[in-house]
Amino acid sequence: VNKPFYVNPKLVSMEYAVRGSIAKRAAELKRLGRTIIPCNIGNPQALGQPPLTFYRQVLSLLEYPELLKDKTNQISHVFSDTAFDYGHTIMEKMETGLGAYSDSKGHEFIREAIAEFIDKRDDVLKNNGTRSNPDNIFLTDGASEGAKNIIELLITNKQDGIMVPIPQYPLYSATIHRCGGVQVNYYTDEDEGWILTRDALEISYSQAEENGINIRAIVVINPGNPTGSILNKGCVDEVVDFASEKGLAIIADEVYQDNTYGSKFHSFAQAVWDRPHVPLFSLHSVSKGFYGECGHRGGYLEVRNSPKLVSTEQSLIEILFRQASINLCSNTIGQVLVYLMVTPPSEESLVGELHKNEVKSVLKGLQEKASLIKKSFTEMEGVQCFGEIGALYLFPRLDILPDQTTDFDYCMALLESTGLSTVNGSGFGQKEGTHHLRIAFLPSKSMLEEVLPKWIEFHQKYIK
Ligand SMILES: Cc1ncc(COP(=O)(O)O)c(C=O)c1O
């Protein structure tokens, strides 16, 4: 029987600009032999960022544990003593090695290490804060899985809404759409450096409320993607006050917490210490920062202030545990990378010194490259880029475009002309009538030095 084959229409209509039609065209051009500079996505190692030596030494030892058994083997000189020590510790604590499933939440010793890392990061003892609880931490396949699980948990019917910043990372819009909820936009203030204001939150909340939407949570991406903005403490506290007054949960996407280039990162975990009734879901990952291990898919979700649930005796953590159990566990290499991210080697060891220098060099390089690109905007008529440098992206506004053209047309033409693959601002959402593009500042300096003059030339011709 030739039975019609239906699929979920929500998946058909789901959009994800970062890998949308510009990226598809870039792949086509690459197949045709063109040099493409893939700045459409925050994929550090695809653009030449080297993996950190220490991380890869430990992973190699764990992937082939025979090496761990005998430190005098033929190739042991490749590995540092510290990597051997970490390898042994991890292997003992894992008991079963990398090839076995772990607990659904992830290995307990890794969750304990994450809790210690969070407490240290937020200086919990000195500030008399609330300690992180390893039982409320879930290891995930990248931050994406954590975000998806939370959104799935919160959207119970088609009137349930989640507030997302505009512009936003399309994981949020796509997942809310897929789960059948309502995306409630709030607008960040571009001219003030993409800051977040209470007024903007209130406007978006009351409009949604008037439309009968039951807002469940607010997403904050800090540092921001695509804008690179970094929230000051006042803004973070403002979101917590707002969530507290409206009875919302906070989804804090903090995957760029190490990409601040001198500015201070303020976590949401510390901001809810004295607000025990504001549920917080915070996300972190090994994908970005200076680690850039996005292909290894490691991340975690920390839950604070779990509310009591209606119509079930189960706790929120139990429900999240069920959700995690369906996937059995997150991948174990990702888990180990999270462990390494939260327990860096002592700087006194040789490899620790090397690690520190590699980290510095990656972050310094990123900042320099961002500054180089930002400077070239000054030579492009009608291009303005607001705010400090943060995350891995610049999000300039294109104030002059030829009539009847959009930022999508601009990005497509830029790709055809220079091989530079970027993402149109409309893929992230933007204020009506404005145009932007997002560029990841990841290519090597030499690549940028080659492509930026071509971009400037393209721009000046395109807008005439
Ligand atoms: C804001 C933000 N959150 C989450 C992710 C997904 O990260 P992961 O690779 O950890 O799933 C990204 C990836 O670019 C991102 O930019």
Side-chain angles (χ1 to χ4, degrees):
V1 190
N2 199 1
K3 199 171 169 189
F5 196 89
Y6 299 108
V7 293
N8 182 341
K10 293 208 175 76
L11 292 182
V12 178
S13 51
M14 194 167 75
E15 284 182 21
Y16 194 74
V18 175
R19 294 198 188 235
S21 42
I22 298 175
K24 276 194 200 124
R25 177 66 185 146
E28 236 170 68
L29 290 173
K30 195 170 172 198
R31 269 196 303 277
L32 296 171
R34 280 282 300 278
T35 303
I36 297 299
I37 308 167
C39 291
N40 57 308
I41 189 163
N43 194 357
Q45 294 188 20
L47 282 148
Q49 181 176 311
L52 296 169
T53 307
F54 174 66
Y55 287 3
R56 292 307 182 91
Q57 286 192 356
V58 177
L59 288 189
S60 306
L61 289 167
L62 292 172
E63 277 286 24
Y64 191 56
E66 278 303 305
L67 293 175
L68 270 179
K69 282 189 189 150
D70 174 14
K71 221 175 166 178
T72 61
N73 69 61
Q74 280 175 4
I75 59 162
S76 68
H77 61 279
V78 172
F79 300 101
S80 62
D81 286 347
T82 312
F84 267 102
D85 293 345
Y86 268 69
H88 280 294
T89 307
I90 294 170
M91 199 51 105
E92 270 160 34
K93 292 190 171 168
M94 270 191 159
E95 291 176 6
T96 45
L98 287 181
Y101 292 130
S102 70
D103 293 345
S104 304
K105 284 184 181 177
H107 281 286
E108 190 178 1
F109 76 99
I110 300 181
R111 291 185 283 110
E112 284 166 357
I114 294 169
E116 271 177 39
F117 156 83
I118 292 170
D119 288 349
K120 201 164 154 205
R121 180 195 66 192
D122 296 339
D123 221 341
V124 79
L125 289 180
K126 193 167 137 221
N127 295 316
N128 207 13
T130 310
R131 299 191 73 146
S132 172
N133 178 354
D135 288 340
N136 297 346
I137 292 174
F138 294 76
L139 272 303
T140 52
D141 287 333
S144 307
E145 190 193 11
K148 281 187 255 173
N149 285 352
I150 295 307
I151 292 170
E152 185 186 21
L153 179 100
L154 292 174
I155 294 182
T156 63
N157 66 55
K158 62 182 190 335
Q159 290 304 103
D160 280 341
I162 298 199
M163 290 176 70
V164 296
I166 292 296
Q168 56 100 35
Y169 175 58
L171 162 69
Y172 293 98
S173 46
T175 310
I176 294 167
H177 178 76
R178 198 180 67 186
C179 293
V182 183
Q183 174 185 333
V184 176
N185 296 335
Y186 67 90
Y187 288 84
T188 49
D189 188 341
E190 176 167 21
D191 297 272
E192 294 299 321
W194 297 109
I195 59 160
L196 193 159
T197 64
R198 181 63 181 254
D199 280 353
L201 299 181
E202 293 286 355
I203 289 170
S204 113
Y205 185 90
S206 48
Q207 278 174 357
E209 211 177 28
E210 275 167 28
N211 292 332
I213 294 158
N214 176 26
I215 301 186
R216 308 292 320 280
I218 174 167
V219 173
V220 184
I221 307 172
N222 180 40
N225 176 6
T227 60
S229 64
I230 301 165
L231 295 184
N232 62 31
K233 175 104 176 67
C235 278
V236 172
D237 288 339
E238 192 73 90
V239 175
V240 175
D241 282 348
F242 175 76
S244 168
E245 275 172 37
K246 310 288 188 202
L248 308 181
I250 298 173
I251 302 174
D253 182 328
E254 300 178 328
V255 301
Y256 296 102
Q257 60 188 267
D258 280 314
N259 298 106
T260 51
Y261 317 103
S263 302
K264 193 164 164 36
F265 164 73
H266 298 278
S267 75
F268 273 89
Q270 52 83 26
V272 300
W273 282 340
D274 57 353
R275 303 296 180 96
H277 57 282
V278 178
L280 171 69
F281 303 98
S282 48
L283 304 162
H284 193 16
S285 157
V286 300
S287 295
K288 314 292 174 179
F290 44 82
Y291 6 98
E293 292 281 3
C294 50
H296 274 124
R297 314 304 300 130
Y300 71 79
L301 158 71
E302 189 207 16
V303 185
R304 284 189 181 234
N305 303 338
S306 293
K308 188 161 169 22
L309 303 185
V310 177
S311 73
T312 169
E313 285 305 301
Q314 292 180 59
S315 71
L316 185 83
I317 298 296
E318 280 169 322
I319 305 284
L320 284 167
F321 180 76
R322 279 164 171 256
Q323 223 181 3
S325 301
I326 296 165
N327 282 345
L328 298 167
C329 70
S330 67
N331 83 82
T332 52
I333 299 200
Q335 293 193 33
V336 170
L337 275 166
V338 172
Y339 179 75
L340 297 177
M341 174 179 82
V342 299
T343 60
S346 150
E347 284 174 22
E348 261 116 71
S349 66
L350 270 181
V351 79
E353 175 76 20
L354 173 70
H355 185 73
K356 190 180 83 179
N357 291 335
E358 287 178 348
V359 168
K360 257 197 197 155
S361 146
V362 170
L363 292 176
K364 188 164 163 270
L366 287 169
Q367 189 172 13
E368 279 172 7
K369 290 184 287 189
S371 306
L372 196 67
I373 304 175
K374 222 174 163 177
K375 190 164 155 274
S376 68
F377 296 151
T378 59
E379 295 179 53
M380 301 182 197
E381 213 180 320
V383 174
Q384 293 196 75
C385 191
F386 295 88
E388 326 166 55
I389 292 171
L392 300 176
Y393 314 99
L394 293 170
F395 196 65
R397 189 166 74 202
L398 310 171
D399 284 336
I400 309 173
L401 285 181
D403 280 352
Q404 311 298 326
T405 64
T406 62
D407 48 23
F408 176 86
D409 303 320
Y410 181 95
C411 292
M412 198 56 115
L414 177 65
L415 169 70
E416 298 283 353
S417 164
T418 65
L420 189 60
S421 177
T422 56
V423 185
N424 48 304
S426 45
F428 304 94
Q430 55 195 351
K431 232 184 203 155
E432 187 81 29
T434 64
H435 301 280
H436 297 81
L437 67 75
R438 188 193 75 171
I439 175 165
F441 46 80
L442 287 162
S444 66
K445 226 171 149 189
S446 58
M447 266 185 189
L448 286 176
E449 279 161 355
E450 203 182 316
V451 80
L452 288 174
K454 291 185 195 161
W455 183 2
I456 295 169
E457 196 189 328
F458 158 84
H459 179 83
Q460 293 305 114
K461 275 195 197 140
Y462 188 83
I463 61 165
K464 290 294 172 227

